[in-house]
Amino acid sequence: MAEATLSQRASLILRSNLSQLLTRFEDPAKEIDIIIYDMKKDYAKLKEKSMVPFGEEESAKQKLAKFEKDMNEWKQAATNAVKAGKEESGKKCFDNYQAAKKRFESQQATYERLHSQCDVLRQQMSQIIDEINQMEAKAGEIKAMSAAADATEMVSDMHSGLSSGRHKSMFDKMEAKAAGRYSAAQASASLTMAMSKDPDEDLKNEFLGTGDTAFEEFMASVKG
């Protein structure tokens, strides 16, 4: 079976939905990128070949405009001469007008033929550009879908790990370790506070309280 042409491959992809593309091609995005690359090469070749006929078309268009200008000028000159009563001069201008008209009509046929051929080329080039744009849009859709599929698989793997208890066990160990460090820190703080307290503080307070009472009794005995 003959290998499909570039146009046939592009048409197949553009007519297929994303699910069909994933079924037909192992890597649809890569396949589309290859086709886009080939289509851009074909477009560049067509554009280069079109420069010659496009140039001839433009040249024929300019020549046609000149012949039309000459024709109209000779017609106007013949008209002015006849109105002025200069029949001989009018006849010469009219003959020149007739000759200019034939040149114009011949050139018009040449231009229309070239213009028609160039229009076909322009349509082909426009079609290639449209297909390239469509293919790039299709490639973007496939790449976005592939990225979404990858993300979905990643989330699925994460959920699978959580449901298996592997991550939960790890978090439990981390929580227990943190709780142990917190308890150790509290015990250390309590011990530090106890060691920093003056052991004679309570005795001093007790002695001062007792001294005040004894002094009051002393004052009472003296006054009495």
Side-chain angles (χ1 to χ4, degrees), residues 158-179:
M158 291 175 64
H159 282 300
S160 176
L162 289 172
S163 62
S164 67
R166 178 169 56 88
H167 291 293
K168 186 176 183 304
S169 175
M170 180 179 66
F171 290 138
D172 288 344
K173 290 179 180 179
M174 291 173 63
E175 184 179 8
K177 184 177 181 180

Side-chain angles (χ1 to χ4, degrees), residues 181-193:
R181 291 178 63 188
Y182 178 73
S183 297
Q186 282 189 316
S188 176
S190 298
L191 179 60
T192 300
M193 290 177 62

Side-chain angles (χ1 to χ4, degrees), residues 53-70:
F54 285 166
E56 292 178 352
E57 178 194 28
E58 182 59 28
S59 177
K61 182 180 180 180
Q62 292 177 5
K63 189 178 291 186
L64 179 64
K66 181 181 182 302
F67 287 169
E68 184 178 20
K69 182 175 179 292
D70 291 344

